[in-house]
Every structure is written in C-alpha cells, then in structure tokens.
C-alpha cells in the first residue's frame, strides 16, 4: 500500500533507496537472468583485460571481438554486468546537438558536427543491434524535447537553436512554441521549448544484460563479483587472481575518481530516478503518448520518459558530490524526496499516482561536460570517462573507438575529436570534491529559486557560476 512521506505518495521501497536493485535491472533479470559468470579464482592471461562491465566495457568487448575474433578478451566486473549506472539510468539515448556550445569551443565547428553525427549513427545502430540480436530493450526512437520551466531558460534555448543553425544543422534542433510543447506533453510548469530528433528511449538494463549475453556467446570471458584492486602495468590484480594482458581498458565510470590514472579528469555527482505506478490514462490526458524523452534546462537537469506500460521515470540531480563512490549515491532519501518534488511540480495531475520505486547512482562529471576516450599517455591502458550523465549513446561510440585504437585500425571513429583529446583537469583533492559539492548545491538552489519566480541568493548565484569562471563547461553562465 502506498504510504505518505512529506506529502509525497511513496511506497515502502522508495523510502529506502538502495535496498534493492533498480526497477530496470530487476525487470531485466526476471526476463533473462543469463548464464553464470563466476568470480575469478585463479591467474589468467588475455590479450585485452577490461575493467568494468557496463556499456563502455561491454561495447568495447563486443567491438573488439568484431574487429578480431581471435582476441582473448576478459571483462572483470566488481558487481554484475549492468549493476552500475548502465542498468540504472534514465534510458535516454540522446544526441549531442545540445552540446554544440562546448563541442565547438573545444574542437571547432566541423569536428563538432562530425561528433554529433557519430552519436546520431549510434542512436540508430543501437536500435538495429537490439532487433538483429533479439534484445527486447523497449527501443523507441521518438526524439527529445526540452521544456522551459523558468524565464531564465529562454536565452539558453535560443542560443542552443541558433548554434545548430550556425553549424549548418538547423533541422537537428528546432524551437517549439508553448503550444507545441503542450501538445507533446502538457504541464502547467512548461513554457516553450526545443526539439531534437536524435533521441531514443531504451530499457537500459535490458540493453546491458543483452550485451552481456552477446559477448558471452562470442567467447568473451566475463567474471562478475571480481573487483580489480589495481593495474600493475596492464595486469589486473583482483583479490583471488591476476589477469595478465597485453592491453587493458578502464571502463569504470565514476569509480574512476579512485583511480590515479583518471581521478583528476572527474568528479562524481549523484543522480536519482523515481518511477510511478502505471497510469496510461493519465498519460493520454496530458497527451504524452509519443514516447518523447523530455528534460528541462536546468544544469542540475531533470529528465523524464515514459515506459510501455504507462509509467513515468523521472530523474533529477541528487545534489551530492563525494570523494569516493559510497552509499550516498544509492541510499540518499533526501535526493529521492527532491526528485519526487520535481515530479509533483511538473505533473500535478498525477498527484494521486503513487511513486513505486526509486534508485540512484553516480555520474562521472568531466570539466567539459563531455567524455573522452583514448589511451593513457603512451601506456597500453585505454579508457572511456567523463560522460557527465550522458553515456547511453556515447558509450557505443566509445566501444568502437577503443576497439579501433587497441587493434590499430585507422577509422573515422578514431579521428573523432573526443578520441585522444587532451583532457582538462579538476583541481587536486580536497578542493575537487569539496568544491564540487558546494557548487552542486548552489546550482540546485539557484535553479529552484528561478523556477519558482524568486531571485536566487547572491551567494548561490556566484557559486553556481564559479566553474564557468574557472574555464570549465559546467554550472551557470
Ligand atoms: C540515475 C542515473 C541516470 C542516468 N540517466 C542517463 C540517461 O538517461 N542517458 C544517458 O545517456 N546516461 C544516463 N546516465 C549515465 C549513464 O548511465 C552512464 O554514462 C553510462 O552507463 C556509462 O557506462 P559505463 O559502462 O561507462 O559505466 P557503468 O555502467 O557505471 O559501468 C562501470 C562498471 O565498472 C564497475 N567497476 C567500477 N570499479 C571497478 C573495479 N575496481 N573493478 C571491477 N569493476 C569495477 C562498476 O561496478 C560498473 O558496473 C545516468 C546515470 C545515472 C546514475
């Protein structure tokens, strides 16, 4: 039975986030638990060892096998494949036309457009991959709508749309009038907006587990429940065995903050999702039957989508930044309550629809708001990191890029600007995690005030602008 908490209709689970796996992953495991992948218990050898069994690690394994079926590939995952954010995220496979500001500033217009087109191709290919390989990941390519929820967002929308026009891709990101927004998804909180055709929803855990099945079928060795303690050169050291390999891949997402090779490239922020009970009639009442992905314009983004059985999965920034990936990324009731508040604000007509589930996870935030994929120095260690909460489609590009770099293939993918790009870095600890935590809270405070038509406090406004002033592509303008 639904119970009430702070005026929110939440069930028992939602009050204790982290007590069980995400709803997506429970559904995926119930649909197909897959073959056992026992923990590593002896020393082994491989051509390539991959640390992390999320989208980045699994796509890399998949494409490596495709490039060279003779390679010995071992994936080591501390949990189960898809147990991290790949099996917990919003399932937005979304384009990069809204990232043009950073892409153009970093790489120039021509390279920026190539990057956007690579992501576009991945969004399409993920759908084809699912249908070819019998992966029922609920793939639906219905586009991505931005909705304005505060006056301050209008300038951001105008700039975003203007930039797509300036790089010669006006059709990729178009302005929507308030009436056009309401026609796609009616909410008293929404003004006008923008629409990006590059957007598909997936059930992310079904995709991750489907990928796991595919790589196993192709002969990749996967060990779950196998944490990698460190890399010694390209040898992965785990509690009960070592994997000696010629090349290694770090595909550890936000856990990278604990790896010396990656820590200065990242901070970890939390994000949480609440999931309603099925309410298909209510979705029909607000006209949200097209399956569009929707977000607002906050930098502490709120993102929401529907499911085939008529639920809304509604995500929001958890507002926490930490020095290690700890329970605060999964067990934060305050973050769940804040996310649920955002949902109630945007969908008042769902006030009696219970929230049945809630879960969270860490996001690997990069200084540029964009990921990079490549080789660490002149070592034989490769990495993909810095997705900043947008890794579903980009990890498909990352897998191809890393497979091409490892096998020495000279392809268009390795010439994309985010491949072997020079990374910006964050300040060292303790300033990094402390600064990230303070700025994150300030951003949420500032944007919440603006959303309610209030003037944000001077302190919150200044703090929220700090990252931009330091040259990062994060925070408020
Ligand atoms: C709540 C939430 C919502 C999100 N929504 C979206 C969205 O809608 N769209 C989108 O594009 N992106 C979204 N993201 C981000 C997206 O989930 C990630 O960018 C993407 O999953 C990255 O894939 P990955 O394989 O790099 O990381 P992960 O899925 O995190 O995989 C990394 C794996 O490495 C494992 N690992 C870590 N350390 C070790 C170690 N020492 N030894 C062995 N294994 C280790 C972890 O257990 C984990 O399984 C969201 C993230 C969160 C948390």
């Amino acid at each position: 039975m639904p119970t009430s908490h702070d005026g929110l209709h939440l069930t028992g689970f939602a009050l204790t986030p982290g007590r069980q796996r995400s709803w997506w992953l429970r559904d995926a495991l119930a649909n197909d638990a897959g073959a056992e992948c026992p923990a590593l218990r002896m020393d082994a050898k491989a051509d390539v060892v991959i640390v992390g069994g999320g989208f980045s690690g699994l796509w890399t394994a998949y494409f490596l096998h495709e490039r060279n079926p003779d390679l010995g590939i071992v994936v080591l995952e501390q949990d189960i494949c898809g147990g991290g954010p790949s099996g917990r995220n919003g399932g937005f496979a979304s384009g990069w036309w809204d990232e043009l500001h950073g892409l153009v500033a970093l790489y120039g217009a021509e390279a920026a457009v190539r990057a956007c087109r690579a992501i576009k191709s991945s969004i399409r290919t993920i759908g084809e991959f699912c249908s070819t390989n019998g992966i029922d990941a609920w793939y639906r390519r219905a586009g991505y709508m931005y909705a304005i929820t505060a006056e301050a967002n209008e300038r951001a929308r105008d700039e975003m749309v203007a930039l797509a026009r300036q790089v010669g891709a006006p059709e990729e990101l178009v302005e929507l009038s308030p009436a056009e927004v309401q026609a796609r998804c009616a909410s008293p909180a929404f003004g006008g907006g923008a629409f990006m055709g590059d957007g598909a929803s997936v059930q992310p855990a079904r995709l991750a587990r489907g990928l796991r099945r595919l790589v196993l079928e192709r002969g990749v060795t996967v060990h779950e429940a196998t944490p990698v303690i460190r890399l010694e050169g390209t040898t992965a050291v785990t509690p009960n065995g070592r994997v000696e390999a010629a090349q290694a891949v770090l595909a550890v997402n936000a856990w990278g903050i604990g790896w010396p090779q990656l820590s200065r490239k990242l901070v970890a922020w939390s994000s949480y999702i609440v999931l309603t009970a099925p309410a298909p009639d209510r979705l029909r009442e607000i006209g949200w039957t097209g399956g569009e992905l929707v977000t607002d314009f906050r930098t502490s983004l709120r993102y929401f989508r529907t499911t085939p059985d008529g639920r809304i999965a509604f995500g929001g920034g958890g507002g926490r930044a930490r020095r290690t990936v700890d329970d605060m990324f999964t067990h934060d009731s305050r973050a769940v309550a804040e996310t649920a508040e955002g949902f109630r604000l945007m969908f008042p007509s769902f006030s009696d629809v219970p929230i049945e589930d809630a879960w969270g996870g860490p996001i690997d935030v990069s200084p540029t708001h964009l990921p990079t994929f490549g080789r660490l120095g002149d070592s034989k260690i490769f990495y993909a990191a810095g997705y900043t909460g947008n890794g579903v489609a980009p990890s498909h590009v990352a897998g191809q890029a890393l497979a091409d770099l490892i096998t020495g293939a000279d392809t268009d993918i390795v010439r994309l600007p985010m491949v072997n790009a020079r990374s910006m870095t964050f300040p060292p600890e303790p300033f990094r995690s402390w600064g990230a935590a303070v700025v994150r809270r300030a951003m949420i405070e500032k944007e919440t005030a603006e959303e309610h038509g209030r003037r944000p406090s001077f302190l919150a406004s200044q703090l929220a602008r700090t990252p931009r002033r330091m040259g990062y592509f994060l925070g408020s303008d």
Side-chain angles (χ1 to χ4, degrees), residues 270-272 274 316-320 328 332-340:
S270 62
S271 189
Y272 276 78
V274 295
R320 305 281 192 175
M328 209 36 89
D332 186 356
S333 296
R334 181 185 80 177
V336 170
E338 285 178 354
T339 306

Side-chain angles (χ1 to χ4, degrees), residues 95-105 112 116 146 160 163 173 196 368-370 387-388 390 473:
W96 267 11
W97 303 102
D98 54 353
E99 298 278 1
L100 276 172
H101 174 69
L103 283 167
V104 171
C116 293
Y146 269 97
M160 214 164 77
L163 206 43
L173 197 53
M196 175 163 69
T368 59
H369 204 265
L370 290 163
Y387 293 106
T388 318
N390 180 7
F473 294 78

Side-chain angles (χ1 to χ4, degrees), residues 201-270:
S201 56
V202 293
Q203 204 285 34
R206 283 180 175 233
L207 177 57
R209 299 297 294 181
L211 252 173
R212 174 189 186 270
R213 170 173 67 74
L214 257 273
V215 301
L216 286 172
E217 283 169 8
R218 280 157 175 67
V220 171
T221 303
V222 178
H223 293 288
E224 296 183 328
T226 303
V228 176
I229 300 162
R230 63 181 178 279
L231 287 178
E232 286 177 3
T234 47
T235 297
V237 181
T238 81
N240 297 306
R242 300 158 66 90
V243 179
E244 199 184 313
Q247 317 204 60
V249 176
L250 280 176
V252 292
N253 193 8
W255 285 267
I257 61 173
W259 286 78
Q261 298 92 333
L262 299 176
S263 60
R264 290 286 299 275
K265 296 179 194 293
L266 305 171
V267 297
W269 281 347
S270 62

